[in-house]
Amino acid sequence: MSDAVLPSPTAPTEAASARPPIFGGKSRSTIRAIGLVIVLLSVLVSSGSFFVMTGATGIEPTPIVWAIIWGANGLLVLVVIALVATEATLLVRARIRREAGAGLQFRMVAMFAIVAVAPAALVAVVAMISLNQGLDQWFSERTRTMVEASRLVARSYMLEHAQVLRDDIIWVATELEQARGTFETDKEKYQRILTALAVTRSLPFTSLISEDGDTLMRAQINVQGTPPQIPEGLTSGVDVGQPTLINPGSTNLVGAVVKLRGYDDTYLFVARPVDQEVLEFMRLTDENITEYRDYESNRLVFQITFTIMYVGLALVLLLAALWIGIALANRFVDPIRNLMIASSRVSDGDLDVQVPVQEGRGDLRDLSNRFNTMTQQLKSQRVALLEASETNEKRRQFTEAVVEGVSAGIVGLDAFGAVTLVNARAAEMIGSDEITLVGEQIGDVIPALAPIIDRAKSARRGQTRDQIEIGSGPDYRTYQVQVTREGTIAESKGYVVTLDDITDLLSASAPAPGPTWRAASPTRSRTR
């Protein structure tokens, strides 16, 4: 019989203690918190930069503002790239080392990356196609013709107005040239003539000026507002009978000047108001056309600028999504990795291991709690098994001591009749040793016991008694046999065979035997 017992709980083995510790330290949480702040800051800065560059805010995108935007975005992009590269390096290293949970984490990060990149790439393609088609429509021949036509319409209105003003100033100048004598003799009458002519032609601002721009005489017409200022150098290059038109400028007046024939360096200046909305429309038309031509000439620059803005914002968002994906994968995989490492330690016999439990609620938290409960129960059950094993071992040793101390032979059998236990006395009776007998069928070792065992299997009572004779000649012995069944008829757990030598007892109580008895009963048995 072996004296080995189940091992008692001990400290973790060297293999178990050499494994990586269970994760969940505060340092990694701190790093992830800092990374989250940087990622959110980069997203906010890039989004704000996009709105500034598109003119959606009140900040003018000056070169200094552009430099600040690109510097801030570039720095944040580099920091986010460093964060992603660090996490990716750790992920690849764990994958190469085949650490617990590395495969699952790698697949989750790859899935997050594909989910983040695929829509962004699709949106980029659609945006570029839409931009090109929009620009093609914007700078098409039809659109260009419409834009130029709007300017022609505005100019036609002004040209018509200027032509009318030109005709009016020529007519007034002709009348004044005929009244030159009155100008020399009667200034007051001449002023009345000038006023009448201005009223007739609806010229509220009519005056005679010198070559230096000094006002010599003004038509007496009551109009709102102050008379316009005579621009410097207005009379330079003005000839007799050739009016020179004056653009409105910052006012809503259209003017003209002509040199009077027969006067000494005297010029006729007239001005007429134009509808302010018409002038505003003309100004806006000129600005829009100028801007349209600038965009048309810088179409490639516009496309490149839009692409850079989109790529910059998309790059920041993609990096942020990738980092968040890695962080989420770490959060999901860490409890699983902890369980894998802990289960490995449990398989090595370390039942004291406990996995950290995440705060809040969730399936992973419940799984960690149940794993910890399971290890605690396994530990308590193992202790109970060891105590029961120790008790059984003591009982076994006591039973073996008792069995070895009796004079009868005792043989233990399993449910199929194989020898499981034999004491020294029984081995001596059979003529063999304990090691050889264990595992042998009792019918092969003692053929006379086979029918008794068969009767014991079907007997209602738990005990079956009989006598058998073993040996021949001088070694001929008679034994009282008792077979005790363990369990029931339907479910037998084994048998205990007791062999008691009664040869000497029978010899002392029986009369002298004759040859007829021995011949008639070479073996005999009786059942009680």
Side-chain angles (χ1 to χ4, degrees):
M1 299 293 292
S2 174
D3 294 334
V5 295
L6 293 175
S8 60
T10 57
T13 61
E14 293 181 0
S17 60
R19 292 181 179 176
I22 294 178
F23 298 97
K26 295 183 178 179
S27 59
R28 175 165 294 189
S29 301
T30 303
I31 294 175
R32 289 178 182 174
I34 295 175
L36 180 60
V37 172
I38 294 175
V39 168
L40 293 178
L41 182 62
S42 63
V43 172
L44 292 177
V45 172
S46 60
S47 301
S49 301
F50 182 82
F51 289 128
V52 170
M53 290 187 292
T54 54
T57 62
I59 302 176
E60 184 69 20
T62 60
I64 297 177
V65 174
W66 275 79
I68 295 175
I69 287 175
W70 288 116
N73 282 273
L75 180 61
L76 290 174
V77 167
L78 291 177
V79 174
V80 175
I81 290 176
L83 290 173
V84 174
T86 302
E87 293 287 350
T89 302
L90 295 175
L91 181 62
V92 173
R93 184 181 301 173
R95 178 70 172 176
I96 294 174
R97 293 178 178 177
R98 296 184 178 181
E99 295 181 0
L104 176 61
Q105 186 179 15
F106 189 85
R107 288 191 294 271
M108 292 186 65
V109 172
M111 180 186 66
F112 275 112
I114 294 174
V115 171
V117 172
L122 181 61
V123 171
V125 173
V126 173
M128 293 304 299
I129 295 175
S130 301
L131 177 63
N132 289 329
Q133 290 181 350
L135 292 177
D136 291 339
Q137 292 292 332
W138 195 12
F139 298 116
S140 63
E141 187 66 27
R142 181 180 179 181
T143 305
R144 188 181 301 106
T145 302
M146 292 175 61
V147 172
E148 296 294 340
S150 64
R151 170 176 280 187
L152 292 177
V153 171
R155 286 187 174 182
S156 297
Y157 175 84
M158 291 302 298
L159 289 175
E160 182 180 0
H161 200 81
Q163 184 64 35
V164 172
L165 184 62
R166 182 177 182 277
D167 295 340
D168 290 340
I169 195 174
I170 291 176
W171 182 82
V172 173
T174 302
E175 295 293 331
L176 291 177
E177 289 173 356
Q178 294 177 0
R180 180 179 178 279
T182 305
F183 178 76
E184 296 291 341
T185 58
D186 191 350
K187 298 290 184 181
E188 293 183 359
K189 183 178 179 180
Y190 188 87
Q191 188 175 29
R192 289 196 296 271
I193 294 173
L194 179 62
T195 301
L197 293 174
V199 172
T200 302
R201 290 293 180 172
S202 299
L203 298 172
F205 300 103
T206 303
S207 59
L208 298 180
I209 61 174
S210 64
E211 186 177 5
D212 297 334
D214 297 332
T215 301
L216 302 177
M217 185 179 293
R218 180 179 290 114
Q220 300 298 318
I221 300 176
N222 293 325
V223 293
Q224 294 180 354
T226 59
Q229 297 291 330
I230 305 300
E232 295 181 2
L234 177 63
T235 59
S236 178
V238 178
D239 296 330
V240 177
Q242 298 294 329
T244 299
L245 299 177
I246 305 173
N247 292 323
S250 60
T251 65
N252 64 332
L253 299 176
V254 179
V257 62
V258 66
K259 186 176 182 180
L260 295 177
R261 183 181 290 108
Y263 288 81
D264 296 332
D265 297 328
T266 302
Y267 298 83
L268 173 64
F269 171 77
V270 297
R272 177 181 293 159
V274 182
D275 190 355
Q276 184 68 32
E277 294 183 358
V278 174
L279 295 178
E280 183 66 20
F281 172 74
M282 290 184 60
R283 184 183 65 81
L284 292 177
T285 301
D286 291 337
E287 292 178 356
N288 291 335
I289 291 176
T290 301
E291 186 176 3
Y292 177 82
R293 290 176 177 176
D294 291 338
Y295 284 155
E296 186 177 16
S297 61
N298 297 321
R299 176 177 177 176
L300 180 60
V301 176
F302 179 76
Q303 289 177 314
I304 294 175
T305 303
F306 177 82
T307 302
I308 292 175
M309 290 190 299
Y310 176 81
V311 169
L313 180 60
L315 179 62
V316 172
L317 294 178
L318 286 177
L319 291 173
L322 186 58
W323 188 89
I324 292 174
I326 295 175
L328 291 177
N330 289 332
R331 183 173 180 82
F332 287 137
V333 173
D334 278 350
I336 300 176
R337 180 188 292 115
N338 293 339
L339 290 173
M340 294 177 67
I341 296 175
S343 61
S344 178
R345 293 187 180 180
V346 170
S347 65
D348 290 336
D350 183 9
L351 297 180
D352 293 325
V353 63
Q354 294 283 295
V355 296
V357 179
Q358 294 181 348
E359 297 180 357
R361 298 179 179 179
D363 295 335
L364 293 176
R365 181 178 183 275
D366 295 340
L367 181 61
S368 299
N369 280 328
R370 291 171 183 173
F371 180 86
N372 292 336
T373 302
M374 180 192 70
T375 55
Q376 292 174 357
Q377 291 178 350
L378 287 176
K379 182 180 178 181
S380 61
Q381 292 173 0
R382 181 181 180 182
V383 172
L385 286 174
L386 290 174
E387 292 177 353
S389 175
E390 185 177 359
T391 302
N392 291 334
E393 179 63 19
K394 292 180 179 179
R395 291 179 180 177
R396 184 190 63 81
Q397 292 176 358
F398 175 76
T399 303
E400 288 185 354
V402 172
V403 169
E404 291 294 336
V406 298
S407 60
I410 299 177
V411 179
L413 305 178
D414 60 11
F416 302 99
V419 177
T420 58
L421 173 67
V422 58
N423 65 349
R425 178 59 178 161
E428 181 182 353
M429 293 177 181
I430 299 171
S432 183
D433 58 87
E434 298 179 21
I435 298 177
T436 304
L437 292 175
V438 172
E440 297 290 335
Q441 288 291 326
I442 192 62
D444 297 336
V445 177
I446 308 177
L449 281 177
I452 302 176
I453 298 299
D454 292 337
R455 292 202 309 271
K457 290 180 179 179
S458 59
R460 294 184 178 180
R461 298 180 59 185
Q463 293 182 350
T464 302
R465 296 181 181 180
D466 206 338
Q467 290 182 2
I468 64 172
E469 296 179 352
I470 303 176
S472 61
D475 296 330
Y476 179 84
R477 308 296 293 179
T478 301
Y479 295 95
Q480 178 73 32
V481 179
Q482 178 176 310
V483 180
T484 303
R485 184 182 62 235
E486 297 180 7
T488 62
I489 299 177
E491 187 178 357
S492 176
K493 298 180 180 180
Y495 305 91
V496 177
V497 180
T498 303
L499 300 173
D500 199 359
D501 191 353
I502 60 174
T503 304
D504 296 336
L505 180 62
L506 291 177
S507 299
S509 60
T516 304
W517 180 84
R518 179 176 296 272
S521 302
T523 61
R524 59 179 178 176
S525 63
R526 55 192 179 93
T527 304
R528 295 182 181 177

